[in-house]
Amino acid sequence: MNSRKWILLVSAVVFLTLISFLFLFTQGKSQPMLGSVPYVFWVSFLVTCLLVLFTFLGSKVFPHLDSKGK
């Protein structure tokens, strides 16, 4: 079961990375602002938080931990 969760997390990271660089981070885009923070900064902060969350979850469901005899 951990292998399926691991594959799902890896797929989510790859998907988020592709979506980020293909659609979210376009050249010259600074609107909409969040307060006084430009679009690129707050979206990149959100993407980074999601990647950190996925990394944390991935550390918990890494499929090769089972072979170490937990």
Side-chain angles (χ1 to χ4, degrees):
M1 187 64 170
N2 278 347
S3 181
R4 180 174 288 192
K5 291 177 185 177
W6 175 256
I7 291 171
L8 181 67
L9 281 170
V10 169
S11 300
V13 168
V14 169
F15 180 73
L16 180 62
T17 302
L18 288 175
I19 293 300
S20 296
F21 287 104
L22 291 177
F23 301 110
L24 293 178
F25 303 134
T26 57
Q27 187 174 3
K29 186 171 184 177
S30 62
Q31 298 294 329
M33 303 277 281
L34 183 64
S36 62
V37 180
Y39 173 80
V40 172
F41 291 130
W42 65 266
V43 169
S44 62
F45 181 76
L46 178 64
V47 169
T48 301
C49 289
L50 287 173
L51 287 174
V52 168
L53 176 67
F54 290 157
T55 303
F56 173 74
L57 293 174
S59 72
K60 299 298 181 190
V61 298
F62 186 63
H64 300 293
L65 286 178
D66 294 337
S67 65
K68 292 182 182 177
K70 293 197 298 191

